[in-house]
Amino acid sequence: MVGADPENAPLAAGTTQSIAELDALISTCRACPRLVAWREEAARIKRAAFRDEEYWARPVPGFGPDDAEILVVGLAPAANGGNRTGRMFTGDRSGDVLFAALHAVGLATGAHPVSVDDGIELRNTRLTAPVHCAPPENKPTSSERLRCAAYLTRELELLAPTVRVIVVLGGFGWQALFTVLAQGGWVIPRPRPRFGHGAQLTLNHPDGRTLTVLGCYHVSPHNTFTGRLTPTMLEDIFRTAINLTHAAPPLPS
């Protein structure tokens, strides 16, 4: 992994030996020219409210402990959110809604994420995404998703000793996650389960592990401003995730 070529960084994901090493590799990636150009353009143009800030303008790695039992899978960083702050779901309305819910149920130490040094920590929970760069119009291409999948694959492998529940925010993350899980040997029902808010599915792995996947509407402004996703709905999903970690059978030794 040391000295990995930034334009081929996904190829080195499988060699990383820790979450910290994987996060460091992700932050150097330049494998998708369209996304590199967009994230850097956003940092040059800047939203007026952030014109005096220096943007991160790099891939945004996951955030949270490396022994989390709950993994939250989103879509991709926002151009003026995570792409600016350098931390998942930090610095935009979507992050405000998500962290408020996490804090309400005891999974985050703070409810108002503004920067990487705001002191907020996650408890037993990690945030990640199937695409780590901000995409134009929040729409990654299928090839960009597939290229970035190596990172989610390795993240799940490194979290295998502890992760018990995955909360998926939105249909894009749902599709990306199940593709990665199938490649990782998890037994996926046919036809593949459809995304829906409150969808719940327990999967089995040949090595004896079990994993529960929960669907949740994405915390996008479109969903939260229209009331399609309310704070109560979001908090209920995370309470379910917490309860599932308590009810899950012991991991195989």
Side-chain angles (χ1 to χ4, degrees):
M1 202 285 289
V2 177
D5 176 6
E7 294 186 359
N8 293 292
L11 299 178
T15 68
T16 57
Q17 299 301 306
S18 68
I19 289 290
E21 192 175 345
L22 177 65
D23 288 347
L25 175 66
I26 289 171
S27 69
T28 68
C29 186
R30 299 182 65 86
C32 300
R34 188 183 79 114
L35 299 187
V36 171
W38 178 253
R39 77 195 193 205
E40 294 179 356
E41 180 182 358
R44 288 193 300 272
I45 297 175
K46 299 183 180 181
R47 182 170 290 173
F50 310 126
R51 61 180 177 273
D52 296 327
E53 296 187 25
E54 182 177 351
Y55 277 48
W56 170 257
R58 293 158 60 189
V60 181
F63 171 58
D66 61 6
D67 58 353
E69 290 184 285
I70 299 171
L71 181 66
V72 181
V73 176
L75 192 165
N80 295 287
N83 185 57
R84 172 174 60 89
T85 64
R87 193 175 74 188
M88 284 283 175
F89 288 105
T90 299
D92 59 19
R93 174 61 182 170
S94 296
D96 292 343
V97 172
L98 177 61
F99 271 82
L102 291 170
H103 182 253
V105 301
L107 295 178
T109 61
H112 305 290
V114 294
S115 67
V116 294
D117 56 1
D118 58 17
I120 292 178
E121 297 180 356
L122 296 180
R123 298 179 175 132
N124 203 30
T125 304
R126 182 170 171 83
L127 307 179
T128 193
V131 174
H132 286 274
C133 289
E137 300 181 347
N138 290 321
K139 294 179 180 179
T141 65
S142 58
S143 62
E144 289 162 351
R145 186 196 74 194
L146 291 173
R147 201 170 293 123
C148 213
Y151 299 131
L152 183 56
T153 296
R154 187 55 180 160
E155 192 164 15
L156 288 170
E157 291 172 348
L158 292 169
L159 289 171
T162 59
V163 70
R164 317 301 293 277
V165 180
I166 301 180
V167 176
V168 187
L169 304 177
F172 182 94
W174 184 269
Q175 181 181 1
L177 174 69
F178 274 97
T179 297
V180 167
L181 291 175
Q183 293 172 347
W186 289 91
V187 180
I188 310 297
R190 295 294 180 188
R192 183 175 292 187
R194 297 182 63 182
F195 170 76
H197 184 82
Q200 180 174 330
L201 182 71
T202 298
L203 304 177
N204 297 301
H205 195 277
D207 66 9
R209 285 180 291 151
T210 62
L211 183 67
T212 300
V213 181
L214 297 175
C216 177
Y217 290 143
H218 196 279
V219 288
S220 66
H222 173 75
N223 287 337
T224 57
F225 286 161
T226 61
R228 188 183 191 212
L229 178 66
T230 67
T232 298
M233 291 168 64
L234 187 56
E235 290 167 22
D236 284 347
I237 290 289
F238 286 120
R239 289 192 179 96
T240 298
I242 293 169
N243 290 336
L244 286 168
T245 64
H246 295 160
L251 288 165
S253 57

